[in-house]
Amino acid sequence: MDRAFFRVKYGDTEELHPEPGAASGWGAEHMRGLAVSGALAREAERTVDTLGRGDLQPVRWTLDMFRAARMQPSTTSATVMRDGPRVCLVDTVLHQDGEPVARASALYLRPSETPGGAVWSGGTTPTPPAADHAPGDRERLYFDPENGWGEWADGFATVDRKQIWHFPIPVVYGESLTPFQLAASIADVTNLISNLGSAGLEFINPDVTMTIARLPRGTELGLALTERVEHHGIAVGTAVAFDRHGVIGTVTASAVANARRAVGRYSLRRY
């Protein structure tokens, strides 16, 4: 795949230079949350690899985007907060012009055997699109209850309980996209399926929290909205994340009203 969110340039430090595909629907000068999340997930994953902790798997990913990330060179850093026998916690930061603009926390746990007791499990089981849907130049497919999976259509804006199916976008050009990077970047699209409405996307999300019981299998991932609550311009949306083998976990995104700079329907493909 030729496209990616960044290209790496090396000097005194490694710099991530955003590619056109990293631009946001909120404005060509803004970086997409998918790119920010992917870059920080890459840093967290590399840090855990450096620790030699192949016995762990990522379980929780919390991203805070507290400043607008711009389409300019960025650096990432990581701090190991805890490296224990069963738990590893890594904090990462994205810097631009020497200032932090986003941070993320990755919780890794060591898998073990499932206990024998019976425990309730959720019943949400979204159906992925047929495997013959090739990505081509598309980033994602949209689910219409009447017509199934397909290309973007304006009617998607008013569909209840929206679903998307996302194709892979590498974080860095020339590097293979890992399952964790895939999940962490696509998690940001929860804001779209949660807050897209008849007037476009009028909410912007400063955070995302993803919790997964396993990594995705394959290089495609879906999100299906399960709940949305909104009061006085603050919205919270929750979705399940799923691949072709079933649900892998949940994603929650909070959002604040941004109606004066709403993303119109024709710009949503760049969200």
Side-chain angles (χ1 to χ4, degrees), residues 38 46 49 52 79 114 142 182 185 193-194 202 204-205 218 224 251 254 270-271:
R46 293 196 303 176
D49 287 345
T79 301
T114 300
Y142 305 85
L182 169 76
S185 59
I193 63 170
S194 175
E202 299 180 285
I204 188 169
N205 64 305
V251 186
S254 62
R270 294 184 63 80
Y271 178 80

Side-chain angles (χ1 to χ4, degrees), residues 193-217:
I193 63 170
S194 175
N195 295 307
L196 173 62
S198 59
L201 186 59
E202 299 180 285
F203 288 78
I204 188 169
N205 64 305
D207 86 330
V208 172
T209 295
M210 174 184 69
T211 52
I212 52 176
R214 64 169 175 85
L215 287 167
R217 299 169 189 163

Side-chain angles (χ1 to χ4, degrees), residues 29-106:
E29 75 279 10
H30 290 278
M31 190 182 295
R32 305 169 72 176
L34 287 83
V36 173
S37 192
L40 289 175
R42 173 179 177 265
E43 180 66 23
E45 200 167 43
R46 293 196 303 176
T47 300
V48 173
D49 287 345
T50 300
L51 295 173
R53 296 305 306 272
D55 58 324
L56 303 175
Q57 73 175 49
V59 174
R60 178 184 52 77
W61 175 251
T62 299
L63 169 70
D64 293 308
M65 297 175 284
F66 47 87
R67 290 192 178 96
R70 307 290 180 176
M71 289 289 286
Q72 62 188 52
S74 308
T75 60
T76 56
S77 62
T79 301
V80 179
M81 305 302 295
R82 166 68 171 162
D83 181 19
R86 302 181 66 185
V87 176
C88 183
L89 183 65
V90 178
D91 288 351
T92 56
V93 180
L94 182 81
H95 302 265
Q96 292 186 335
D97 289 331
E99 294 289 334
V101 299
R103 67 179 184 181
S105 176

